[in-house]
Amino acid sequence: MLEKPTAIIIGAGPGGLTAGLELLERSDINVIILESTDEIGGISRTVNYKGNRIDIGGHRFFSKSDRVLKWWSKILPADMDSGYSKEQELTLTTQEACSGNKDKVMLTRNRVSRIFYQRKFFEYPLKLNFEALKKLGLKQVAKIGIAYISIRMFPIKEEQSLEDFLINRFGRVLYRTFFKDYTEKVWGIPCRDIKPEWGAQRIKGLSISKAIKHSIVRMMEKGRDLDQKKVETSLIEKFLYPKFGPGQLWEEVSDRIIGRGGKVHFNSKVSGIKWETEERVEVTVIDEVNNCEVKYTGNFLVSTMPVKELILGIKNSVPNDVRDVANGLAYRDFITVGVLLKTIKIQNKEDHPTHSALKNLIADNWIYIQENDVKLGRLQIFNNWSPYMVANSDQVWLGLEYFCNEGDDLWSMDESDLIAFAINELIRLDFINREDVLDNTVIKVKKAYPAYFGTYDHFELIKEFTDSFPNMFLVGRNGMHRYNNQDHSMLSAMVAVDNILTGQKEKHNIWNVNTESNYHESKEE
């Protein structure tokens, strides 16, 4: 018998680390975290390349959950307590910023993102203002208006695909103009072949009417603070951001877990899971450093590993139909090409305050590339997430984001060829000059996005099977095969811990985190 209960947590991303710290702070349960890589934070980690930091995918720290906001604030307090004014923040050098004890803070950021379409910039979320109308032209604007009125009068009653979901909210013309190409870059298949649940997860109630209403309200307000609970997530204008990127927060959480006696084992790839009894589970891992097999035994299992790999790793009897669904689950992989520049050609000509020390640098956190003559999906400007993401504040640090499948041409491309390919795309878009490139790197992430196609239609079979194990809890993005934001992954872990500590066996409350069960019937305000 174990001296006291033990929880085995698979994965050291937001879900796994949140579960670990919650258990240690609220109980006397032992915590063992098994991480297959040598890094903390999962897709929310920060990669440090020669002092230049990469935020993989871009992570806004915003939540409508007070529980999550309070949790973040106890790890890294907001920058209003840091002692720096906004003016001071922009003029401090990295060395000055790192001195003293001002590092463990969250900065307040203005969200700026735009769509690049037909070599023009459009605000995102879309603003149907004079500038946008001028860029689109009267003919296109008329088509957008007619298409939107038409779909409001005769909506698609049963949304069978993401295409239906987007058309119902924006009309066919606006969907084809600003959503179709980018979304198909992300997933690699037509929007008509993607289930509508993706839209419910990612853009929820956003529509033209919501965007217009938001624009009117914003014009009437003098400012907006971080309390934006009534604002659609896609319309959020301010957010918090760790001074040195999202990985800073998760590294701090990991330190606290270890400080409380928890164990974090790196390079430990799960190879088998077996229930000895209903309350006792054995997890076998391959220690890839020492090239040996290690077994851990616990009373609770919290899994954030990809569902596909979880099911294949279970050594107890698994129904054939459950294995078939797991085998057919699809994922989308992700590449970031980091490019360091002397300068960038596109300048800040819009009325946007910048967080960068470079006053003429465009203020965007990221830019959606809607052009179909390049494979580039999104462009991040790390200077604007935090000036401390860049080693030299006089340089520009970009992240070029590509969506692909493991093993395809893009994924398999030689790194030097991939860098050359990415730089050529920036030049084609007229964003940079070749002679301004100083350095570059490549980061690849497998299974970054759980997909809403493949055998996803039958995912309920997996839920029923995994829920039948009273002491197993699936949380997080890959753990639930759900395109969660970071805060929803955390909430799923918090609810799982609630269940462990109260003895609740039903898992519905975990699966209900970030769901829109009635989104097909939702009414526009």
Side-chain angles (χ1 to χ4, degrees):
M1 293 292 293
L2 299 172
E3 292 183 2
K4 64 178 181 177
T6 295
I8 299 174
I9 300 172
I10 304 175
L17 292 170
T18 299
L21 188 56
E22 285 276 298
L23 283 168
L24 289 168
E25 288 184 339
R26 298 168 59 191
S27 74
D28 63 350
I29 294 175
N30 286 323
V31 168
I32 299 172
I33 298 179
L34 306 174
E35 169 57 41
S36 62
T37 72
D38 60 356
E39 297 179 288
I40 284 291
I43 199 173
S44 296
R45 69 185 184 273
T46 301
V47 177
N48 190 330
Y49 177 73
K50 300 179 183 179
N52 297 299
R53 292 172 167 82
I54 291 176
D55 177 352
I56 300 170
H59 290 82
R60 289 182 294 156
F61 283 70
F62 163 80
S63 181
K64 296 185 180 183
S65 165
D66 287 335
R67 186 174 184 180
V68 170
L69 289 171
K70 290 176 181 176
W71 204 94
W72 283 334
S73 68
K74 76 179 181 182
I75 307 297
L76 297 178
D79 64 337
M80 61 270 299
D81 299 322
S82 70
Y84 292 134
S85 68
K86 290 183 179 179
E87 291 74 21
Q88 288 173 320
E89 178 188 305
L90 293 175
T91 56
L92 284 173
T93 66
T94 301
Q95 182 178 359
E96 290 169 335
C98 292
S99 63
N101 58 0
K102 306 295 185 183
D103 289 347
K104 294 183 179 182
V105 296
M106 292 266 209
L107 307 176
T108 303
R109 305 287 85 177
N110 295 316
R111 178 257 179 87
V112 180
S113 58
R114 290 181 292 175
I115 297 170
F116 193 62
Y117 171 68
Q118 292 187 344
R119 299 318 197 250
K120 299 173 185 175
F121 284 100
F122 294 85
E123 298 284 343
Y124 183 83
L126 293 170
K127 299 175 185 175
L128 297 181
N129 53 22
F130 176 76
E131 188 65 26
L133 300 181
K134 180 180 177 182
K135 291 175 182 177
L136 286 168
L138 289 177
K139 184 177 180 180
Q140 185 72 354
V141 170
K143 288 181 178 180
I144 289 171
I146 292 170
Y148 182 68
I149 293 171
S150 175
I151 202 64
R152 299 310 297 150
M153 294 175 64
F154 305 102
I156 300 170
K157 292 185 178 179
E158 294 187 12
E159 295 171 358
Q160 301 295 324
S161 68
L162 179 59
E163 182 170 82
D164 294 343
F165 179 96
L166 292 169
I167 288 172
N168 260 354
R169 285 150 185 79
F170 300 98
R172 292 185 184 277
V173 177
L174 199 58
Y175 155 69
R176 290 171 181 162
T177 302
F178 287 122
F179 294 94
K180 184 176 184 294
D181 286 349
Y182 175 78
T183 305
E184 293 182 355
K185 277 184 187 180
V186 172
W187 295 111
I189 65 171
C191 290
R192 63 177 178 273
D193 295 333
I194 303 172
K195 301 304 291 182
E197 283 87 345
W198 182 88
Q201 290 291 126
R202 300 303 293 182
I203 54 180
K204 300 185 187 293
L206 181 62
S207 65
I208 288 182
S209 58
K210 289 280 182 70
I212 292 174
K213 179 180 177 181
H214 173 74
S215 296
I216 293 172
V217 170
R218 190 180 63 173
M219 286 188 296
M220 297 174 67
E221 294 178 344
K222 293 183 179 180
R224 184 182 292 280
D225 60 20
L226 288 166
D227 183 12
Q228 304 170 80
K229 293 179 184 177
K230 296 182 180 180
V231 181
E232 292 296 336
T233 301
S234 296
L235 300 174
I236 295 304
E237 296 178 357
K238 287 186 181 294
F239 58 93
L240 295 171
Y241 193 73
K243 188 171 182 177
F244 297 104
Q248 180 186 10
L249 181 133
W250 297 115
E251 289 160 12
E252 177 68 20
V253 172
S254 177
D255 289 344
R256 294 192 183 197
I257 287 172
I258 294 169
R260 286 180 171 268
K263 306 295 183 184
V264 182
H265 298 287
F266 295 100
N267 299 298
S268 297
K269 185 175 178 60
V270 172
S271 60
I273 302 169
K274 183 179 180 180
W275 274 262
E276 299 174 345
T277 69
E278 192 175 86
E279 297 180 351
R280 190 178 176 92
V281 60
E282 179 184 84
V283 179
T284 303
V285 304
I286 303 300
D287 181 336
E288 297 184 335
V289 173
N290 299 305
N291 194 28
C292 64
E293 191 175 84
V294 183
K295 296 181 185 294
Y296 299 93
T297 303
N299 305 91
F300 306 100
L301 177 64
V302 178
S303 175
T304 72
M305 71 187 293
V307 174
K308 185 173 190 173
E309 296 174 9
L310 171 73
I311 298 299
L312 297 180
I314 293 177
K315 302 306 180 184
N316 301 75
S317 177
V318 178
N320 289 333
D321 55 356
V322 172
R323 286 197 184 276
D324 289 342
V325 174
N327 275 320
L329 290 176
Y331 299 83
R332 194 71 164 148
D333 305 298
F334 186 74
I335 298 173
T336 297
V337 179
V339 178
L340 187 67
L341 298 158
K342 296 177 186 176
T343 187
I344 189 171
K345 290 177 73 173
I346 44 177
Q347 300 293 306
N348 187 6
K349 298 179 181 179
E350 309 291 337
D351 185 23
H352 293 307
T354 178
H355 290 298
S356 170
L358 300 172
K359 298 300 183 182
N360 292 325
L361 180 67
I362 54 171
D364 304 70
N365 306 113
W366 64 79
I367 300 168
Y368 297 100
I369 308 299
Q370 180 72 359
E371 307 289 36
N372 57 22
D373 62 332
V374 295
K375 290 188 176 182
L376 177 61
R378 197 171 67 166
L379 179 67
Q380 287 204 64
I381 299 94
F382 294 118
N383 305 62
N384 295 329
W385 288 93
S386 168
Y388 314 108
M389 297 286 280
V390 189
N392 185 336
S393 59
D394 293 329
Q395 296 170 350
V396 179
W397 182 223
L398 304 181
L400 286 70
E401 298 181 348
Y402 291 92
F403 310 97
C404 55
N405 292 325
E406 185 181 356
D408 68 12
D409 290 344
L410 200 60
W411 183 272
S412 304
M413 193 179 293
D414 179 82
E415 185 170 306
S416 60
D417 292 337
L418 180 58
I419 290 169
F421 176 84
I423 290 171
N424 285 335
E425 291 210 321
L426 284 180
I427 293 170
R428 183 180 304 137
L429 295 171
D430 201 31
F431 283 179
I432 69 168
N433 292 314
R434 190 181 303 277
E435 58 269 23
D436 290 325
V437 177
L438 297 170
D439 202 354
N440 35 67
T441 189
V442 174
I443 307 295
K444 294 183 178 181
V445 180
K446 297 179 182 178
K447 294 182 173 62
Y449 303 108
Y452 290 76
F453 46 89
T455 54
Y456 178 78
D457 267 349
H458 307 288
F459 190 75
E460 199 66 29
L461 289 172
I462 289 179
K463 285 174 60 177
E464 291 174 2
F465 173 71
T466 56
D467 285 356
S468 70
F469 295 88
N471 63 345
M472 179 165 68
F473 304 86
L474 274 55
V475 306
R477 176 181 283 194
N478 274 334
M480 304 173 76
H481 200 84
R482 179 178 290 170
Y483 199 165
N484 283 328
N485 281 328
Q486 180 177 220
D487 62 326
H488 297 125
S489 292
M490 294 175 63
L491 274 173
S492 66
M494 292 173 178
V495 174
V497 171
D498 293 342
N499 288 3
I500 289 172
L501 300 185
T502 60
Q504 179 171 324
K505 304 299 183 184
E506 293 293 327
K507 315 292 176 56
H508 298 301
N509 54 350
I510 303 174
W511 292 107
N512 285 339
V513 171
N514 189 30
T515 58
E516 293 284 331
S517 57
N518 297 317
Y519 77 89
H520 288 291
E521 293 79 36
S522 64
K523 298 290 190 292
E524 296 296 315
E525 295 181 3

